[in-house]
Amino acid sequence: MITESQKTPPSLVSKLIKMTAHQRVLAFASLIVLLIVFSIASPNFMQTSNMLAILQATSVNGVLAVAATLVIISGGIDLSVGTLMTFTAVIAGVLLTNMNLPLPIGVLGAILAGAFCGFCSGSFVAKMKIPPFIATLGMMLILKGLSLVVSGARPIYFNNTEGFDEISRGSLIGEVLPFLPIPNGVLILFIVAGVASYVLSKTILGRYCFGIGSNEEAVRLSGVNTDRWKIAIYAVAGGICGIAGILISSRLNSAQPALGLGYELEAIAAVVIGGTSLSGGRGTIIGTLIGALIMAVLTNGLRVLSVAQEWQTVVTGIIIILAVYADMMRRQKSK
Amino acid sequence: MMPLLVEMIGIEKRFPGVYSLRGVDFNLEKGEVHALMGENGAGKSTLMKILSGVYQKDGGTVKVSDQLTDFDGPKAAQKAGVGIIHQELSLMNDLTVAQNVFIGREPRSSWGVIDEKRLNSQASDIFKKMNFDIEPMTEIGSLTVAKQQMVEIAKALSFQSRVLIMDEPTAALNDAEIAELFVIIRRLKSEGVGIIYISHKMDEIKQIADRVTVLRDGEYIGTVEAKETPLSKIISMMVGREVKDEAVYIPDLSTQPELLAVKGLNRGKEIKDVNFSLKKGEILGFAGLMGAGRTEVARAIFGADPIDSGEVWVNGKLCQIESPSDAVAAGIGYLSEDRKHFGLALGMDVRANIAMATLNRFTRSLGALNEAEMSSIANGYIKQLGIRTPSDTQEVGFLSGGNQQKVVIAKWLLKDCDILIFDEPTRGIDVGAKSEIYKLLESLAKQGKAIIVISSELPEVMRLSHRIAVMCQGKLTGILPGGKETTQEQIMALATQ
């Protein structure tokens, strides 16, 4: 029985591969083109140290974008990922520096705090029926304020905690392979992305994520408690923001309570460039990863070419519009 | 008598302020197709949502297989063997067929990880058992509506359902697909599944149903044998009065000027060299199977889709129509089959909807709108077209389908359109309101409007049209005279070339 059902007509398989591949190929090809253009334009661009800098710069936005991807595929939006990241960093600071607790507790505390905030956002959306845009806009402001309140509006430094900065800046890979000193922050990004990708494609949570984004009422009428799963999706995304909080505070060796606003838009931009549909139901983590890399390469490449910061922002905006336009064209054609 | 699968007695359901169901009785025998009929708002869907656990009843008893039940959700109903295919297809377009069928009960290995292989093989087993030719790994969105319907049926039956509720299953199917669905229904019936069938289409009831239960305004009217009861009796039970089916009156149009001429219209594979003309005061019906290109022709004339080649002449003048606003300026109005999406702003009131296309006519200095004038004009149309609404400030979303359609008509009349294209003018409108819409179209024609009616229901086309244009695969395969001279068979022959 099983073997028989596995036999699918080749036309269909190739069609499916073509369809799903296309979306990623488009983003991936743009990434390659960017890399080539910048390396021709400047010999400094392709240096190993610069490549590592790009990867390092991708790590925080990449992790946040993974969190945003989950929520967006389920048909929602999370505007609070940036300030949630900051809030979890402050929580880590309070636990580690102010309370002098051991490192694992600080990390775990940040992730749990993130998950709890996500749980709250999810409850506002699922139980109180507040549109995700508004619920997470409120959450964004709440967390921005709370970060300042909890930290006393001052940065918290992690000078007492041995090895905290190693979380992001050290390199486990570099210890084994000295010629490849990939920072841990990047390693963590790839692990988070890998796990999220697995969860999305292989587990119940992922299936309901796509199902709810595609047609929530249909999932509900199939006897699934959609409210509970929606809350779970926001909570998982919140937990991932907690990981981003650890990454950024480790990189700065401090929790900066004023930071965070604007990160949510960068994350959403990466998701969109990666081909995830803002109307839900469609998207991939690998696409998001490529989207985050495109943004980092762009920023870095333009800086290497000494293009002013202001213009970098303008170019990023144009890229977002082009990426979504290309996606729309592709979809219309396939119709 | 066969054993009863479902027995509902004295069902009550209240929504804030209104009674939706008042003491409704209903039962279903094993291996029976039981049609549930009634006008929109009669309570059919509410009753079925109670049976399938989507709503909770406020009174009465429900027995499924002699067990007293009170389902607290769709899952409980599924467990008890009650499956439902909802009116609006309830599928997730971005998931595959197998993923859709098993949503909510995926075979898992551990830690919430889905066993995709088992999922696909179980789905393929189900389809094999039912003789459905569907590939489990196809994405739902890429299937035809008929295939999607089959997936819904498979999904409902995969719960080992002994009771299957079908809420307007044929609304989006063409004749060939309906025939296919009926084969499946007959087979399920012979296997002892009880089927509750909700439909507005009278001829289907005669073909497939054993018994018919009629509801009206949330009340139980009666149950009759389908084969022995004349349709007129069933209709009168539904509307509470006799509805006479009047024959179409065909006026002499030989002296009337030609208002619209379409020449050599082409658009990709959808429209191939379509030519026709329309006189003042004429109703031209467009018949054909779904996908024959009727809506596409209407949209092309209206400028909603670009054309490859062709000419549209209005009132003897060649018109360059490149957008709907060009078409409206030329006096062409298009009433979409999907009123809610394209025809109305449901959250706005009757007055605003009627004035929507002509707002600049009501603008005074500083851009303020003359509400008083809008109101008096809206009230004029409410009277003229018989729109049943408490006032011109009622939200359109609260009106019935027939009255919503009248609001759209009023909008185009106010715009001074002489050519009106009606795409499925009575879709989702109940029997009583249908004949009102027919009369309205006839009186509009009498007043000198030129009307095109596109309809998937042959009786409707034949009831209304002075001439009948038939399309098949993008081509206009023939134009037949209206009235008694033309039979359904002649039309179908042209529609299936």
Side-chain angles (χ1 to χ4, degrees), chain A residues 1-2 4-9 12-13 15-16 19-20 198 201-205 207-208 210-224 229 280-282, chain B residues 54 74-75 78 86 89-95 99-100 103-106 108 111-121 124-125 128 135-139 142 155 159:
Chain A
M1 261 303 123
I2 291 172
E4 241 185 280
S5 68
Q6 279 171 329
K7 266 192 262 156
T8 31
L12 183 81
V13 173
K15 213 173 109 194
L16 273 176
M19 260 171 58
T20 48
Y198 182 82
S201 59
K202 300 284 181 207
T203 69
I204 303 280
L205 180 76
R207 181 60 41 82
Y208 293 158
F210 281 104
I212 291 170
S214 195
N215 187 346
E216 180 176 349
E217 186 63 6
V219 180
R220 197 179 68 83
L221 291 177
S222 304
V224 176
W229 287 101
R282 276 174 186 277
Chain B
V54 178
K75 207 157 202 165
Q78 285 165 5
H86 290 277
L89 281 177
S90 301
L91 294 167
M92 291 129 272
N93 281 334
D94 301 310
L95 302 190
Q99 289 169 353
N100 263 283
I103 190 89
R105 53 196 171 117
E106 292 81 358
R108 325 173 181 197
W111 281 81
V113 177
I114 297 170
D115 188 342
E116 206 79 24
K117 260 186 207 160
R118 223 165 78 208
L119 182 86
N120 285 323
S121 74
S124 122
D125 286 352
K128 221 172 279 168
E135 177 53 52
M137 277 159 73
T138 324
E139 212 170 292
S142 65
K155 181 179 164 188
F159 293 100

Side-chain angles (χ1 to χ4, degrees), chain B residues 24 47 142 146 285 310:
Chain B
V24 172
L47 187 66
S142 65

Side-chain angles (χ1 to χ4, degrees), chain B residues 110-216:
Chain B
S110 58
W111 281 81
V113 177
I114 297 170
D115 188 342
E116 206 79 24
K117 260 186 207 160
R118 223 165 78 208
L119 182 86
N120 285 323
S121 74
Q122 284 180 4
S124 122
D125 286 352
I126 289 171
F127 292 134
K128 221 172 279 168
K129 218 169 87 191
M130 294 185 197
N131 243 330
F132 288 176
D133 176 30
I134 297 175
E135 177 53 52
M137 277 159 73
T138 324
E139 212 170 292
I140 284 285
S142 65
L143 294 178
T144 61
V145 177
K147 286 256 160 119
Q148 293 184 1
Q149 192 94 51
M150 285 159 83
V151 174
E152 285 258 42
I153 294 172
K155 181 179 164 188
L157 289 174
S158 68
F159 293 100
Q160 315 298 326
S161 301
R162 283 156 302 150
V163 177
L164 184 59
I165 305 164
M166 298 177 144
D167 196 350
E168 300 217 35
T170 59
L173 302 187
N174 67 33
D175 289 356
E177 291 164 340
I178 290 173
E180 215 173 314
L181 177 70
F182 284 0
V183 170
I184 294 166
I185 290 179
R186 292 203 178 91
R187 199 174 66 230
L188 293 173
K189 195 174 129 103
S190 69
E191 287 164 11
V193 176
I195 292 165
I196 304 171
Y197 191 92
I198 300 179
S199 176
H200 277 305
K201 299 186 187 166
M202 292 293 167
D203 50 329
E204 287 179 4
I205 303 304
K206 277 286 179 193
Q207 278 185 58
I208 199 81
D210 299 306
R211 288 192 298 163
V212 179
T213 287
V214 176
L215 304 183
R216 187 170 72 228

Side-chain angles (χ1 to χ4, degrees), chain B residues 219-367:
Chain B
E219 287 182 60
Y220 174 79
I221 301 301
T223 302
V224 294
E225 295 291 326
K227 299 277 179 307
E228 289 138 35
T229 315
L231 278 183
S232 59
K233 168 94 192 295
I234 297 175
I235 294 176
S236 70
M237 285 169 78
M238 285 166 62
V239 299
R241 59 181 189 276
E242 291 284 341
V243 176
K244 272 180 278 168
D245 206 14
E246 286 154 77
V248 53
Y249 162 76
I250 302 187
D252 178 20
L253 298 166
S254 54
T255 58
Q256 296 289 350
E258 199 175 83
L259 270 191
L260 175 75
V262 173
K263 295 177 184 169
L265 197 66
N266 274 294
R267 172 179 155 79
K269 287 179 191 158
E270 295 168 342
I271 306 171
K272 293 174 198 154
D273 192 30
V274 166
N275 297 282
F276 68 91
S277 67
L278 183 64
K279 283 187 164 173
K280 189 174 176 187
E282 185 178 31
I283 301 179
L284 176 64
F286 266 77
L289 301 177
M290 211 168 261
R294 296 164 302 165
T295 296
E296 286 75 6
V297 167
R299 288 177 59 92
I301 296 172
F302 191 60
D305 298 322
I307 55 172
D308 299 337
S309 64
E311 294 174 353
V312 176
W313 295 70
V314 177
N315 245 332
K317 271 182 286 186
L318 179 60
C319 285
Q320 207 68 40
I321 295 177
E322 278 162 6
S323 70
S325 64
D326 293 344
V328 172
I332 303 174
Y334 173 62
L335 291 86
S336 157
E337 55 185 320
D338 194 343
R339 289 187 295 278
K340 290 182 180 164
H341 270 117
F342 304 117
L344 290 168
L346 292 179
M348 295 175 76
D349 60 20
V350 173
R351 180 199 300 176
N353 270 285
I354 290 178
M356 190 69 79
T358 29
L359 276 183
N360 47 8
R361 198 182 297 178
F362 299 103
T363 315
R364 292 179 308 181
S365 56
L366 290 172

Side-chain angles (χ1 to χ4, degrees), chain A residues 292-334:
Chain A
L293 277 170
I294 286 179
M295 291 183 66
V297 166
L298 209 61
T299 311
N300 178 286
L302 292 173
R303 194 185 303 141
V304 170
L305 295 181
S306 324
V307 175
Q309 174 94 43
E310 299 82 350
W311 284 106
Q312 295 173 21
T313 318
V314 173
V315 172
T316 312
I318 293 171
I319 292 286
I320 291 171
I321 290 169
L322 285 180
V324 175
Y325 179 66
D327 198 43
M328 296 301 282
M329 293 313 287
R330 184 184 60 79
R331 218 161 285 177
Q332 262 172 15
K333 247 183 214 158
S334 70

